[in-house]
Amino acid sequence: MDFKHVSVLLNESVEYLKCKSEGIYVDCTLGGAGHSEKIIKNLKAGGKLIGIDQDQAAIEAATKKLAKYDVDFELVRDNYQNLTSILDQLNIDKVDGFLFDLGISSYQLDTPERGFSYKYDAPLDMRMDQRKDTTAADLVNNLSADRLTEIIRKYGEEKWASRIAKFIVKFREEQSITKTNQLVKVIKAAIPAGARRSGPHPARRTFQALRIAVNNELDIIETALNDAVSRLKPKGRICVITFHSLEDRIVKHTFKDLSTKCTCPPNFPVCACDTKQKVKVITKNPVTPSEREIEDNFRARSAKLRVAERK
């Protein structure tokens, strides 16, 4: 299956990067290389693009897509949580811009055997990096009801989390849950019929929660953003696209902390906290997709773009 992914807020995010023809830019979530290709079109000799993705399929697809451009680029199979070590290994000190497109790619969702989607009957996997050991099946078959409840409630914002966890534990007493359709049936059985008649697919929130837990998606965002800002040149920009409130909240608060000038009480005559403003937030309110983009790509409906600039 070809790596197909429609990049969301493509024009807006790259425009906010303000690419310099000889600049160095890092696409921390390479995916289908849509954003990377848009960036590389703005570069000339002397410019450089670095693409990072933990999915080997993304690396292979991006290599083919970007090979036709006569611009220096380097693709690294890794997690953006290791951004500092990646740049160190490439002997790059400072860069002109970072782009993060958080969440899952359409390719991963639409490839049944990856086990991300509740729409297909497939192994319950959900690993973005298939070199990792822990799958979603490992979580649902080994974690306690309390821990499953915590994951489903925290990462899926699912009000039936406790009930779903109890049904999972009861089901696995008879047989292991190894397939996506098994988990979907358990979730449907756990959620009362009346609650299933409206709203999104009853399994959507639980699948999201397990995916986030398997890939440790939320816990790495704040550190990665801080690491990125520390490697930005003055006036360099960082653009972050999120797809649900949990991600967006982290990005919003991190940018707010990084843009704080002083944390001392107002009555202090002299600053004693030594807090220095690191960035200026460019987007007072997040940029969202146009109605046309949402019509063309329904998965874009919840996307939000936030941008900050290095002081």
Side-chain angles (χ1 to χ4, degrees), residues 28-39:
C28 297
T29 46
L30 185 61
H35 289 106
S36 280
E37 184 174 36
K38 188 80 172 178
I39 292 169

Side-chain angles (χ1 to χ4, degrees), residues 70-293:
D70 190 22
V71 175
D72 186 22
F73 70 90
E74 189 99 32
L75 306 185
V76 181
R77 187 184 181 189
D78 205 334
N79 189 304
Y80 65 74
Q81 73 180 99
N82 301 316
L83 186 58
T84 297
S85 62
I86 292 169
L87 293 178
D88 287 345
Q89 290 169 14
L90 295 174
N91 294 316
I92 293 173
D93 181 27
K94 301 288 184 180
V95 307
D96 295 278
F98 289 94
L99 188 143
F100 292 79
D101 181 5
L102 303 179
I104 190 170
S105 71
S106 297
Y107 167 82
Q108 290 166 330
L109 272 176
D110 296 335
T111 304
E113 60 267 27
R114 299 297 296 270
F116 285 102
S117 177
Y118 46 78
K119 296 179 181 179
Y120 309 108
D121 181 20
L124 190 58
D125 192 324
M126 300 195 193
R127 292 172 298 167
M128 292 182 179
D129 187 343
Q130 294 179 302
R131 297 170 298 184
K132 301 294 185 182
D133 294 327
T134 303
T135 66
D138 293 323
L139 298 187
V140 299
N141 287 298
N142 296 308
L143 296 183
S144 67
D146 287 345
R147 180 64 180 131
L148 284 170
T149 299
E150 181 185 2
I151 287 173
I152 297 168
R153 180 176 292 139
K154 180 179 179 182
Y155 296 148
E157 299 181 296
E158 171 62 76
K159 70 176 183 178
W160 300 103
S162 177
R163 188 172 165 87
I164 292 170
K166 290 175 182 176
F167 272 61
I168 288 174
V169 171
K170 183 177 180 180
F171 185 92
R172 77 191 192 195
E173 289 175 355
E174 301 296 328
Q175 64 181 106
S176 296
I177 302 173
T178 60
K179 303 293 285 293
T180 54
N181 69 335
Q182 286 178 294
L183 182 58
V184 170
K185 289 178 181 178
V186 174
I187 295 168
K188 285 183 175 180
I191 299 177
R196 286 189 268 115
R197 292 195 184 102
S198 61
H201 190 286
R204 193 181 81 175
R205 293 187 179 93
T206 299
F207 269 63
Q208 172 184 293
L210 290 171
R211 188 202 85 217
I212 289 172
V214 167
N215 298 288
N216 192 31
E217 293 177 42
L218 296 184
D219 292 342
I220 65 175
I221 296 174
E222 182 178 354
T223 299
L225 295 183
N226 276 278
D227 288 344
V229 167
S230 72
R231 304 302 282 259
L232 270 176
K233 295 177 182 177
K235 298 292 185 179
R237 290 192 168 186
I238 177 169
C239 300
V240 188
I241 301 169
T242 62
F243 287 87
H244 56 75
S245 60
L246 297 172
E247 294 172 338
D248 184 59
R249 198 175 303 134
I250 294 170
V251 176
K252 179 181 178 180
H253 290 164
T254 302
F255 278 2
K256 182 179 178 182
D257 291 342
L258 288 166
S259 64
T260 300
K261 297 179 181 179
C262 177
T263 58
C264 294
N267 60 343
F268 269 37
V270 180
C271 176
C273 69
D274 201 30
T275 300
K276 294 181 180 180
Q277 183 183 10
K278 295 181 179 178
V279 303
K280 176 176 68 173
V281 176
I282 301 299
T283 49
K284 183 177 180 181
N285 296 308
V287 179
T288 55
S290 64
E291 291 183 7
R292 176 64 182 272
E293 180 171 7

Side-chain angles (χ1 to χ4, degrees), residues 1-6 31-33 55-62 64-65 105-114 120 299:
M1 179 178 177
D2 292 336
F3 199 110
K4 294 181 179 179
H5 176 71
V6 180
D55 194 323
Q56 181 61 25
I59 296 293
E60 292 174 0
K64 294 178 181 178
K65 178 177 280 191
S105 71
S106 297
Y107 167 82
Q108 290 166 330
L109 272 176
D110 296 335
T111 304
E113 60 267 27
R114 299 297 296 270
Y120 309 108
R299 287 175 179 168

